[in-house]
Amino acid sequence: MTYKDAVIQFMVASILVLNMTQALAATPATSQKGMEKCYGISKAGMNDCQTANGSCAGSAVKDHQRDAFIFLPKGICNRIVGGELTAK
């Protein structure tokens, strides 16, 4: 493989990854059917969307942050220790 081929492959892969990232980010988090917000169980930087101190996904600054949520299938949150359906 030549240097030129490697650069072309890298560029194509980068474009594909960027398109996938934009498509996932464009999906509104509130439109997920059969899912519910589960507060207080996400790890730092692993929340699905907005917190009181952050604008969107990955903005939780500490583990089990009470205002950070992740989407789970309905009925699962109540089974997880520390999981709440409302922000504290």
Side-chain angles (χ1 to χ4, degrees), residues 6-20:
V7 170
I8 291 171
Q9 287 180 352
F10 175 77
M11 296 299 286
V12 169
S14 298
I15 291 169
L16 292 174
V17 168
L18 287 173
N19 284 338
M20 287 176 47

Side-chain angles (χ1 to χ4, degrees), residues 4 13 26 37 46 52 54 59-60 62 74 77:
K4 183 178 177 180
K37 294 178 182 179
M46 301 298 291
S59 60
K62 63 181 182 176
K74 287 187 178 182
C77 186

Side-chain angles (χ1 to χ4, degrees), residues 34-36 71-77:
M35 305 293 270
E36 63 188 1
F71 281 105
L72 294 176
K74 287 187 178 182
I76 300 294
C77 186

